[in-house]
Amino acid sequence: MNTMPLFYRNFIRLTFFVIALFIANTQAAEAGNRKPMPIKGGFSLVDETGKKVTLKGYRGQYLLIYFGYTYCPDICPTSLGIIAQVLDGLSKKSLNKIIPLFISIDPQRDSVEYIKEYTDMFHPRLLGLTGTVAEASRAAKTFGVYFAKAEINPEDSTDYSVDHSSNTFFVDPQGRILEVFGHAPDIKMVRDKIEKQLNR
Amino acid sequence: MKQTRLFTTLAVVAILGLGGCQSTVHKMADGETSISKKIMVQKPWARASARMAKAGAAFMTITNHSMDNDRLISASSEIAKFTELHTHIHDNGIMRMRKVEHIDIPKGEMVALKPGGDHVMFINLKRKLNLGDKLPVTLEFKNAGKVEVEVEVKAAGAMGGTHKMGDVHKMH
Ligand SMILES: [Cu+2]
């Protein structure tokens, strides 16, 4: 007769313990992330209007940066769809303080014209950047983004997919990384973090 | 009488609880659900593509109502030069898309082909995928044979209901 309530009590205790652990972990992770990370390196690319841009040139603005490629069938559309929903949920004031960037890690196929059409499908504010292979590689290296061609079609060498990291970087006006969001983050979480930072 | 009605209600509730299967009959009419005797395919969808896009992916849920394990062994369509079965390997934050020979559909289970995971891959698209398009795709299962589905094209940033914030991002 006593075993059930005892079990029940232990179960509750265990549950609280797990929840406490979870909260502690989350707070630790948040505190760790909150320290702004200075960026070593930079980039020099062209934007979707054909204008030369650099990472330094964006100082004074908040940036939301995602690296991908326009031939990407799933991972990039998922990430950009999330970014679009994050942007749509921001206040107008906040939206004007942030520049969302999509940087190509496949510049051989991603022309200026094409990257513009592609980014406009997701959000009018999303700005596509591309460049030479060397320029794109430098940009990726600056943010620690991995990419490599994979699954090249033997019949057509221009037909391939690209393995790549799927992180979204939140950069502050001093050019430091404030947050690194992993693949397919929770939209509300990202939006709250941005809104909180922009209204400090 | 009362008990019969109660039983009926319970049965209906139980069926509704099975998740998605309830709308089989009337959804068949608008092409959202395709069904063979053993395999049910629901809500096949893809994303709108840019003009020059060469690749696309289709997602859906597949339920195996038979008593045997089954497996999706191929897909074919007119929309692309090649239609393949793919998956994504999540390797320490790196996304690696790879071709797979088949996708297992265990007996009695529902398998979701969804963003970031298994998908039907279109390679060398013959034309742009426009919002609202319905793309005929033939799926071939080892046991259940061929199942025709119509893949609905949603917005470029659509998530297919895997995210709470809403299905389709509005087009600008
Ligand atoms: Cu694929």
Side-chain angles (χ1 to χ4, degrees):
Chain A
M1 283 302 271
N2 280 335
T3 52
M4 269 307 281
L6 184 64
F7 167 77
Y8 193 57
R9 242 176 300 163
N10 279 337
F11 180 73
I12 288 179
R13 243 179 244 148
L14 185 67
T15 306
F16 273 115
F17 179 66
V18 169
I19 289 171
L21 257 186
F22 180 74
I23 290 169
N25 264 328
T26 313
Q27 281 171 346
E30 277 183 2
N33 281 349
R34 215 163 269 148
K35 209 169 164 213
M37 228 177 358
I39 300 169
K40 288 197 197 85
F43 62 68
S44 174
L45 298 158
V46 281
D47 75 10
E48 61 181 42
T49 67
K51 201 177 87 183
K52 279 243 165 224
V53 293
T54 61
L55 178 60
K56 257 206 169 123
Y58 285 117
R59 285 276 167 87
Q61 298 269 8
Y62 282 99
L63 304 173
L64 202 57
I65 305 176
Y66 184 81
F67 289 81
Y69 65 114
T70 68
Y71 285 65
C72 184
D74 173 20
I75 299 302
C76 303
T78 297
S79 304
L80 298 179
I82 288 170
I83 288 173
Q85 291 192 37
V86 166
L87 297 174
D88 276 345
L90 292 176
S91 68
K92 212 168 172 184
K93 203 176 112 212
S94 296
L95 187 60
N96 286 329
K97 285 191 205 164
I98 192 163
I99 302 178
L101 299 174
F102 175 75
I103 299 180
S104 174
I105 39 99
D106 184 21
Q108 285 167 300
R109 291 187 301 188
D110 292 342
S111 66
V112 167
E113 181 205 6
Y114 190 35
I115 209 163
K116 174 170 173 41
E117 186 195 334
Y118 185 74
T119 52
D120 287 352
M121 289 200 311
F122 296 94
H123 200 281
R125 298 244 330 157
L126 184 64
L127 195 66
L129 307 185
T130 186
T132 63
V133 174
E135 286 167 342
S137 301
R138 179 167 170 246
K141 202 178 162 204
T142 293
F143 285 87
V145 166
Y146 169 90
F147 71 98
K149 278 186 195 177
E151 304 239 313
I152 301 172
N153 182 348
E155 289 172 43
D156 177 3
S157 64
T158 66
D159 173 19
Y160 52 85
S161 69
V162 183
D163 294 348
H164 64 102
S165 320
S166 184
N167 292 328
T168 302
F169 301 90
F170 183 34
V171 177
D172 76 2
Q174 291 79 49
R176 300 173 302 179
I177 296 171
L178 290 180
E179 293 279 352
V180 181
F181 301 109
H183 180 65
D186 181 75
I187 293 161
K188 193 180 173 301
M189 182 271 289
V190 176
R191 189 188 289 154
D192 288 351
K193 285 202 167 168
I194 292 174
E195 200 69 78
K196 204 175 161 193
Q197 179 66 33
L198 267 52
N199 291 303
R200 264 149 68 113
Chain B
M1 267 315 270
K2 217 173 181 182
Q3 265 172 350
T4 316
R5 201 181 295 155
L6 180 68
F7 178 74
T8 311
T9 311
L10 283 175
V12 169
V13 168
I15 290 165
L16 287 174
L18 289 175
C21 299
Q22 79 280 10
S23 40
T24 304
V25 178
H26 56 264
K27 282 218 172 144
M28 270 176 77
D30 65 15
E32 259 195 67
T33 299
S34 300
I35 192 162
S36 79
K37 270 164 267 155
K38 299 163 178 173
I39 288 284
M40 183 168 74
V41 179
Q42 285 175 297
K43 296 197 163 80
W45 66 283
R47 293 183 177 112
S49 70
R51 194 162 28 100
M52 288 158 72
K54 268 192 166 179
F59 311 100
M60 62 201 74
T61 57
I62 303 171
T63 310
N64 182 354
H65 288 300
S66 76
M67 303 300 276
D68 302 298
N69 292 333
D70 206 342
R71 112 189 324 186
L72 177 60
I73 51 171
S74 74
S76 55
S77 74
E78 286 296 309
I79 195 71
K81 194 171 171 194
F82 307 102
T83 304
E84 299 178 345
L85 305 177
H86 279 200
T87 193
H88 273 109
I89 302 161
H90 296 218
D91 172 11
N92 276 319
I94 297 163
M95 300 296 171
R96 302 179 192 274
M97 184 170 71
R98 294 292 181 269
K99 187 177 174 179
V100 292
E101 291 310 311
H102 52 77
I103 295 169
D104 282 323
I105 318 289
K107 60 183 172 189
E109 282 189 30
M110 186 174 88
V111 173
L113 275 55
K114 59 175 192 283
D118 296 337
H119 55 275
V120 171
M121 180 81 184
F122 303 125
I123 295 166
N124 285 358
L125 283 171
K126 292 176 184 164
R127 66 169 176 81
K128 184 178 180 310
L129 305 183
N130 294 306
L131 187 69
D133 281 356
K134 300 264 167 90
L135 315 170
V137 172
T138 304
L139 304 172
E140 192 174 354
F141 295 87
K142 192 167 167 263
N143 296 334
K146 287 183 177 173
V147 178
E148 311 280 336
V149 300
E150 271 199 332
V151 175
E152 190 193 339
V153 178
K154 297 191 180 187
M159 239 62 83
T162 51
H163 280 265
K164 291 170 227 104
M165 296 309 291
D167 219 2
V168 179
H169 175 65
K170 65 176 188 285
M171 295 296 280
H172 295 271

